[in-house]
Every structure is written in structure tokens, then in C-alpha cells.
Amino acid sequence: MIRIEAELPRNDLAAVTDALDMMGITVNITKAKSRGTTVGSEVHAAKGTGMYRSEFRDKFILQTTVSDNSEHDVIEVIRSNSNTGKISIFPISRVIDISSGVENEQGLALSEYDSVILIAAKKQETSFPFGLTTSKVKLEPQAIEGEKGYYDVIEKKFVPLENLESVIAQVKPIEKFQIMTPDDAFLIQSLTRIQRNFSLYKRKQSDSYSQAFLKYISNRFLSLWPENEINTAVLYVDIVGSTKIATSLSSEELSGLIKVFSEEMAVVVSKHAGFVLKYAGDAVIAFFPELKDFGNMAENAVRCARSMNMLVNHSLNPMFASFGLPKINVRIGIDVGKNRIVVLGSEPDLIGHSITIASKILPLAQPNQMTIGEETYKMLSQEMAVQFMKIDPQDKRWNYNHPTTGKIYPIYFSIPVMQISNRGN
């Protein structure tokens, strides 16, 4: 790690800080001692022009601490956006975040909101959310009538610290988590959440707090390794026949349905040690990275898909029926592989072969079925692998040639639970 200091004139300060902000680099700025107390003398730039006063005596010190890998990029940004000044580099042996105890690169990058999340997570006795990185402060500390909390400058509302702890308690991952029965405690929580929030979602155009929180955590996780490749399982889930459903509902009803669906999918993804990559209309795209405390990423994704179907059948659809809305079915596509973390605009994203495969095999799934690629299938235990059947070689719907082998890439369909039981007999 290194600390970079740049002495810059006022004229160049805004351009440099804006450019560093685009990179997600946080800076501190102090005014340097000026060289004298008098205003610069008036000077004619050229005959016939106006007068101007030199501002070069107004110097500012810009400071930032970054990883060694970022040194070259930060220096180039400063040089390309400033005409004069000096840049100094200082090595740093160790950085510790006071509130959380996190050290070095992660401690270096913690924003105020990150610190609050880690404090709340510590009270919930969980290592979630795994890793955080630099960004603008999302929440500002406040106290209303003695209640401690934070003003969320994105959601534009006060969030009690107790509420943040409650959100973490609901979404924190559990190893080998899966919804197994209709009376599962997670389903009871889901029913309560939907009952409480559906009418609010119809009126509110932004995402729910849980959705915004989980997307924030996902961005933080990906920002730890910009432009690097990571192994992940990628999961696509969408609503079957959503266009037909949309034509039968008012805009408020459709908005409420989609928001409830997206939130419940996001929460169950997190319970299975996954992250929401993006919300795309009636679809949710998630990724499950390699996490040593949470087992096999492919099996986490498959268990998550099973839980999603349980959630639809035993929570979402019963609640939609009570609201006078149509029931829904989902289809799911999963594959595993290396994906590159890229920054598109202001947010990190994933690009890779497995994301492409997961999106291509999604439409082949029947309602309430999942389709997985061979790389996913090869990572499953025997107990889980028997829950899938290989695509018929004569099935003309699938003819994708793998770029490495040059042969058709095998895919597998999930088998209904009843058929799995019959197979065992």
C-alpha cells in the first residue's frame, strides 16, 4: 500500500478529484500554506485582452491511500488533469479501520456505511458481507429522538441501526441452506415480509431497502478485484410468461408483483452465499463465488434454485392470490466458470462464458425447472447429480458448440421430486 500526495493549484483541483472519483478513489484535501498574503498582481495576457490575477499561489494538498497495483493509474490521472504541481509517494506498512478492526486493503477502503454494516454484522455473529471496498458514503450517522441510525442518502430516508441489523439477520448466509418444507421458518418470514410491503411497493418506484442493500453489497464484493477473473456459479431466474401477465395487470399491480418477486429472490440468493449481480425487469441475475466457509458454489446455486421454487409455490403465489394477482412460475439457468470483473459506467459487472451459457440455457427450462451446464453438473455430489437428466442428443433446441472442445456443450435438466423418488426405487 502507498500514500500519494499531490500539490495542486486550485484551477486543477476539481478536474483531478472528479477523475479520481470516477475510479472510486477517495481523497482528502487540505490547503497548503500560501506564499504570501497579498493578491497576485494584475497582468496583461496580450494587448487588447482583459486583466487576470494569478491564482498559482493557491495550493492544495490532495492525499489518497491506495494499493500498490493502483499507483500507476492514480499518478497518470493526476498528471493528465493538472498542469503544474508535485506528486510524492510514501510506502505504508499497515492500515487498520478503528471501528471494525479490518486491516490493510479492506480496512483502507472502508466507507462510513461499510463500518456500520460490519458493526451490525458483528452483532449478528456473521462474517457476511465478506468484503467491502471504496465508494462514496451511502449513509450518514444521525439520531432521531434518541434512536441511533443512519440517513440513507440514496433511499432518502432514516434507517435505524436496529433495522439494518434486522436486514442482515434475514439475509446472512447459512452453509448448505435450503427450504425443505412448506412450514420452513424462512417461508414464514417471507410471507410476513410480503404482507407488510406489497402495498408500499405498488406506490414506491424505487427498490426495497433489502434489494438496495444486497445490490450495494454485491458491488462492494466485486470492487475488491477490478479487472480480475473469479470462479463463480451464475444463476438466471425469470418469470415464465411475464408479458402475458403484464397485459392483465395495472401498472401499480405489476410494479408491486415485480418488486416483491425481486426482493424475495434476492434474499434467498443471499441465504445461499450468493450475490445479486443485477435486476433486469422480471429477471434476477446472481453469482455464487468460491467462499471457503460456505462450501461448493455449484451446489449452493442448485440448492438456491430449489429454494426459489419452494418460495414461489409456498409464499409468493399464496400471497399473490390473496391480493387478487395471478400465480407465477419461474425457470432457472445455471453454469459455472471464470468470469471477468469489469466496470461499466459506475458499477462493476461480470463478463464471461458461464454467464453467456446460463442466459442461453434459461429459455430451455420448463416452468419450475432448472437447466444447468456440464461444468455445474461435474461439481455436484452424486446425491445431487441424480436430480438431473442429460439433454436428449436429438433435441434440436440446443446446438451450442463449446469454444474449447468444438463439440456441443452438454446441458442437464432438473427432474421433478416425484420422478427422483421413483428413480431410487
Side-chain angles (χ1 to χ4, degrees), residues 197-389:
N197 294 332
F198 179 73
S199 61
L200 297 176
Y201 294 163
K202 288 198 298 182
R203 299 193 302 268
K204 184 182 176 185
Q205 297 305 307
S206 60
D207 292 335
S208 72
Y209 187 70
S210 294
Q211 283 180 268
F213 174 81
L214 290 171
K215 187 64 176 71
Y216 177 84
I217 294 302
S218 171
N219 287 349
R220 304 301 247 177
F221 183 86
L222 290 176
S223 296
L224 291 173
W225 303 281
E227 302 304 326
N228 286 341
E229 284 190 338
I230 60 173
N231 280 318
T232 60
V234 177
L235 179 152
Y236 275 69
V237 57
D238 74 355
I239 298 175
V240 179
S242 58
T243 302
K244 183 178 180 180
I245 292 175
T247 60
S248 66
L249 301 176
S250 68
S251 60
E252 291 81 9
E253 290 172 328
L254 180 62
S255 173
L257 184 148
I258 294 297
K259 289 181 188 303
V260 164
F261 167 76
S262 298
E263 176 174 27
E264 296 309 305
M265 294 299 103
V267 172
V268 79
V269 163
S270 186
K271 295 299 290 186
H272 288 273
F275 294 85
V276 172
L277 182 63
K278 62 184 71 174
Y279 304 104
D282 69 321
V284 175
I285 306 170
F287 66 97
F288 300 77
E290 292 179 307
L291 299 169
K292 63 179 182 179
D293 295 332
F294 292 93
N296 184 317
M297 60 184 175
E299 293 189 352
N300 287 342
V302 169
R303 274 191 290 266
C304 181
R306 294 285 189 196
S307 294
M308 285 176 168
N309 279 316
M310 289 289 288
L311 197 62
V312 168
N313 293 329
H314 300 289
S315 177
L316 286 167
N317 280 338
M319 292 306 299
F320 287 160
S322 72
F323 299 139
L325 301 176
K327 75 172 186 177
I328 64 171
N329 294 301
V330 297
R331 55 189 177 182
I332 301 167
I334 301 171
D335 203 19
V336 169
K338 287 187 176 181
N339 295 280
R340 178 169 289 276
I341 301 170
V342 298
V343 179
L344 302 175
S346 60
E347 293 192 352
D349 202 349
L350 287 174
I351 294 178
H353 185 252
S354 61
I355 286 187
T356 301
I357 294 296
S359 66
K360 287 181 178 294
I361 63 179
L362 174 70
L364 302 182
Q366 296 297 312
N368 301 322
Q369 187 182 48
M370 77 179 98
T371 310
I372 65 173
E374 185 177 46
E375 293 302 318
T376 303
Y377 183 80
K378 290 191 298 187
M379 290 186 65
L380 303 181
S381 65
Q382 181 61 31
E383 179 184 5
M384 193 171 284
V386 298
Q387 301 173 17
F388 294 86
M389 60 180 178

Side-chain angles (χ1 to χ4, degrees), residues 117-189:
I117 292 172
L118 289 179
I119 292 170
K122 186 176 181 180
K123 290 185 178 180
Q124 294 299 320
E125 298 181 347
T126 175
S127 59
F128 175 80
F130 314 123
L132 302 169
T133 187
T134 189
S135 181
K136 293 181 178 178
V137 174
K138 185 180 188 296
L139 298 184
E140 298 173 352
Q142 282 191 353
I144 296 181
E145 297 180 354
E147 184 175 34
K148 294 182 179 180
Y150 282 74
Y151 180 73
D152 188 323
V153 298
I154 294 178
E155 294 294 301
K156 307 296 184 186
K157 66 180 182 182
F158 176 79
V159 180
L161 188 56
E162 182 179 330
N163 288 14
L164 183 57
E165 292 176 19
S166 176
V167 169
I168 291 177
Q170 291 185 53
V171 305
K172 66 180 181 181
I174 298 174
E175 186 177 5
K176 295 186 178 180
F177 177 83
Q178 188 166 351
I179 301 174
M180 301 298 293
T181 63
D183 59 351
D184 190 287
F186 183 84
L187 289 176
I188 305 303
Q189 288 182 352

Side-chain angles (χ1 to χ4, degrees), residues 78-134:
I78 295 173
R79 292 190 62 196
S80 62
N81 287 279
S82 185
N83 297 313
T84 62
K86 296 287 189 295
I87 298 175
S88 302
I89 312 295
F90 305 92
I92 293 179
S93 61
R94 193 178 182 193
V95 171
I96 304 174
D97 180 73
I98 294 174
S99 62
S100 65
V102 175
E103 295 192 24
N104 298 333
E105 277 82 0
Q106 292 187 26
L108 163 66
L110 287 175
S111 72
E112 184 69 26
Y113 185 35
D114 295 336
S115 299
V116 175
I117 292 172
L118 289 179
I119 292 170
K122 186 176 181 180
K123 290 185 178 180
Q124 294 299 320
E125 298 181 347
T126 175
S127 59
F128 175 80
F130 314 123
L132 302 169
T133 187
T134 189

